[in-house]
Amino acid sequence: MRDKVMNFIGSPSGAALAKGGMVVLLFKVIGALGGYVLLFSLAKAGGEFSVGIYEVAFTLILIGSTIGRWGMDTVVVKEMSREATTSHPSRELYFAVFFRVLIMVTGVAFALFVAATFLTNLFFQNTPSEVIATAAIAMIPFTMMLLNAEVFRALGKTLLFSLNQHGTIYILIAALLWIVPFPEGMEASDSAQMALLLLLGISTLFFAVSTIYIFNSTSVRYQNEHPRWKGRLFKMATPMLISSALFLVISWSDTLMLGYFLTEDKVGVYRIVFKIATLITFAQFALNTVVAPMVSALHEKSESLSEVSKKVAQLNLITAGPIFIGIIALGPWLIELFGTSSAAQAYPWLVILAFGQLINAFAGPVLNILNMTGYEKSARNTMLVVVVLNAVLNLLLIPTLGPLGAAISTTLTMTGWNVWAAILVYRYHGVVAIPFLTHLQK
C-alpha cells in the first residue's frame, strides 16, 4: 500500500490530484465535522426526535434556498470570475443578482411561512408549526450568505468562501447547543427550534459582514459598457437551476418521504446513519472538485484523460476502501455514538447505504467527465431518469419497509446512475475510472 501511494504521488497527474484534493478535502472535513457535531449536539439535547425535526426543517430550507437562488449563484461565479481577471469585478453584476435572489427567496420564504401549519401536519406528528415558521425566516439570510460565498469563490477568496459554508454554521450552532444549559423535560422540538434560531442569527451576521466586504471589493462599471449578462440573467441561470434541483431531489427526497410516512425519531436515526455512510465519499468530493477542470483541459487528449482516470481509480481505492471496511466493522458503535437506542435495528440501513456510497466512490467522477466534455445533455437525462426512479422506489418501499426501504431506494438509484454514467463515459471516451477495471480502457 505504501509503495502504491508513493508511486501515485510521484506521477505528475497524481501529484496534482493529491495536492488539490487535499486542500478541498480539508475544508470538506471541517464542514462535515460540523455536520456530525451538530447532529451529536441535537441528539444530546433532544434525542432522535430533535434530529428528525431539524433535518426535515433544514431540508425545506435547502429546497427553498435552491429555488430562491435560481442558479444565479453559478452565473455570478462564471461572469464575475471573467471580470475579476481585469481587476475590476462588477458591483453592478453583484447587485443585479443580489436583489433578484433576495426578492425570490423572500417570496419563497413567505410561502413557506404561510404554509407552516399545513407542512407541519404533513411531515410531523408531534411538532408545533413554529418550527417550520422559524425555518422560513432563517431561509432568507442563509440563502444570501450562500450567494455571497459564491461571490468570494469568483473573487478567488478561498478562505472567505470556505467560512461562508454550511460547515462553519454547523460548528457554531453545535458549540452553542453544547454550551447552552437546557432545562429538564425540554421537548425535542425546543432544541430543534433553538438550532434554527441560531441558524437565523449566525447566517444573518455572516450575510451582513460578507455583503459589506463584497461592496468594498467591487467597482462601479461605466454606463457605456454592455456586459453579456445584462438582460439575460434568468436565461443563463435556469439551466443551472435544473441541475441543482435534480441533485437536491435525489439527495433529500428520502428524508421528506420518511417525514411524511414515519415519526420524527425514525427520520432522525436514518439521517444519522446516512451521515455516517457519506464518510466513504469524502475523498470523492475533493476529487470531483479538482478533476473537473483537468478533464475539461484534457478531454481532447485521450491518453492524458486515461492517465488521470487511472490515478483517480487508485486514489478512490486507497481512500474509500478502508473507510468502508471501518464502517462495516464499527457500524453499531458509530451509530451509538450519537445516543441512538436502536443501533442494532439501524445497522442494516448503514450497511446498505455504505455499499451505495462505495459504488459512488469507485465509479469515479463520471458525471463530471460527461459535463466537462460536451455531454451535458447525457448527464442531465441520466439524472432526470434517476429522479423519477428514486421517487417511485421511495413511494413503494418506505410505506412497507420504513428507513430500510429508503436505504434500498437510495442505494439502487445511486448505483444505477453511476453504472449508466460509467457506461456512457466508456462509450464516448474509452475511459474507465473504476478500481481493478482500468485495464479495460480503449
Side-chain angles (χ1 to χ4, degrees):
M1 177 65 74
R2 180 179 179 277
D3 292 339
K4 289 183 178 180
V5 173
M6 296 307 296
N7 289 335
F8 176 87
I9 296 175
S11 66
S13 57
L17 286 171
K19 182 180 178 180
M22 285 303 297
V23 173
V24 179
L25 183 59
L26 174 62
F27 290 115
K28 170 69 173 177
V29 168
I30 293 172
L33 178 63
Y36 293 119
V37 174
L38 175 56
L39 287 185
F40 187 82
S41 297
L42 281 170
K44 172 181 174 291
E48 299 155 2
F49 274 92
S50 181
V51 175
I53 294 168
Y54 179 83
E55 286 290 304
V56 171
F58 189 68
T59 300
L60 295 175
I61 291 176
L62 288 178
I63 292 172
S65 177
T66 300
I67 297 172
R69 280 175 285 157
W70 201 267
M72 290 196 184
D73 50 342
T74 306
V75 173
V76 82
V77 170
K78 182 184 295 185
E79 296 302 314
M80 192 169 282
S81 296
R82 182 178 291 108
E83 293 181 347
T85 59
T86 65
S87 300
H88 296 290
S90 171
R91 187 179 301 164
E92 183 183 6
L93 169 60
Y94 172 62
F95 280 117
V97 172
F98 178 94
F99 286 115
R100 284 167 174 79
V101 172
L102 181 60
I103 292 170
M104 287 188 294
V105 75
T106 301
V108 175
F110 178 76
L112 182 61
F113 186 89
V114 171
T117 301
F118 169 76
L119 292 173
T120 298
N121 294 331
L122 186 67
F123 293 118
F124 299 128
Q125 296 184 19
N126 302 293
T127 301
S129 60
E130 286 81 5
V131 170
I132 290 184
T134 304
I137 299 171
M139 181 193 301
I140 299 173
F142 180 76
T143 300
M144 302 309 295
M145 180 196 73
L146 293 181
L147 172 65
N148 284 349
E150 293 302 307
V151 174
F152 286 135
R153 181 182 175 192
L155 296 175
K157 308 290 185 180
T158 306
L159 179 59
L160 294 176
F161 166 73
S162 303
L163 288 175
N164 285 268
Q165 295 295 318
H166 299 196
T168 307
I169 305 297
Y170 292 159
I171 290 174
L172 293 174
I173 294 174
L176 291 171
L177 284 176
W178 191 269
I179 295 170
V180 173
F182 289 102
E184 292 292 333
M186 184 188 66
E187 297 290 334
S189 59
D190 293 334
S191 56
Q193 175 87 335
M194 177 61 71
L196 291 170
L197 287 171
L198 290 172
L199 174 67
L200 169 62
I202 296 170
S203 57
T204 298
L205 177 62
F206 276 54
F207 157 54
V209 173
S210 60
T211 300
I212 294 171
Y213 184 95
I214 292 170
F215 181 85
N216 292 326
S217 301
T218 53
S219 62
V220 180
R221 281 184 155 297
Y222 291 106
Q223 292 185 354
N224 61 349
E225 295 183 10
H226 299 284
R228 67 173 195 160
W229 53 264
K230 269 198 170 182
R232 300 178 62 239
L233 280 175
F234 279 102
K235 182 178 180 180
M236 295 171 68
T238 300
M240 313 296 182
L241 170 68
I242 294 172
S243 298
S244 299
L246 289 175
F247 187 77
L248 190 69
V249 169
I250 294 172
S251 300
W252 292 94
S253 63
D254 52 356
T255 301
L256 291 180
M257 289 192 187
L258 283 170
Y260 177 79
F261 288 110
L262 303 175
T263 56
E264 292 90 329
D265 59 327
K266 295 293 185 184
V267 180
V269 176
Y270 177 80
R271 289 303 302 174
I272 288 170
V273 168
F274 185 87
K275 288 281 189 180
I276 294 172
T278 56
L279 284 167
I280 296 168
T281 52
F282 262 21
Q284 176 71 1
F285 174 88
L287 277 176
N288 284 345
T289 306
V290 178
V291 165
M294 295 178 68
V295 169
S296 180
L298 296 174
H299 79 274
E300 299 293 342
K301 304 175 182 179
S302 58
E303 292 184 3
S304 299
L305 187 58
S306 297
E307 177 65 19
V308 169
S309 67
K310 288 180 180 178
K311 298 304 179 184
V312 168
Q314 291 175 16
L315 196 53
N316 283 335
L317 180 62
I318 293 169
T319 56
I323 296 174
F324 170 78
I325 294 171
I327 286 176
I328 297 299
L330 303 174
W333 178 76
L334 291 171
I335 297 172
E336 288 176 351
L337 277 179
F338 292 89
T340 302
S341 58
S342 54
Q345 182 186 20
Y347 180 63
W349 317 343
L350 177 59
V351 172
I352 293 170
L353 289 168
F355 271 107
Q357 294 293 334
L358 183 69
I359 292 170
N360 186 27
F362 275 12
V366 284
L367 287 177
N368 266 335
I369 292 176
L370 292 175
N371 282 321
M372 292 295 114
T373 57
Y375 294 98
E376 300 91 344
K377 289 184 178 180
S378 294
R380 183 199 62 198
N381 293 340
T382 299
M383 297 305 287
L384 279 170
V385 172
V386 167
V387 164
V388 175
L389 178 62
N390 182 256
V392 171
L393 287 174
N394 278 326
L395 284 171
L396 291 175
L397 297 178
I398 289 177
T400 55
L401 299 177
L404 179 63
I408 293 172
S409 172
T410 299
T411 296
L412 286 177
T413 51
M414 189 175 293
T415 301
W417 101 56
N418 277 290
V419 170
W420 179 244
I423 291 172
L424 293 179
V425 168
Y426 183 74
R427 179 187 298 174
Y428 297 145
H429 302 292
V431 167
V432 178
I434 302 173
F436 308 116
L437 298 180
T438 54
H439 63 282
L440 298 177
Q441 295 186 136
K442 295 179 182 178

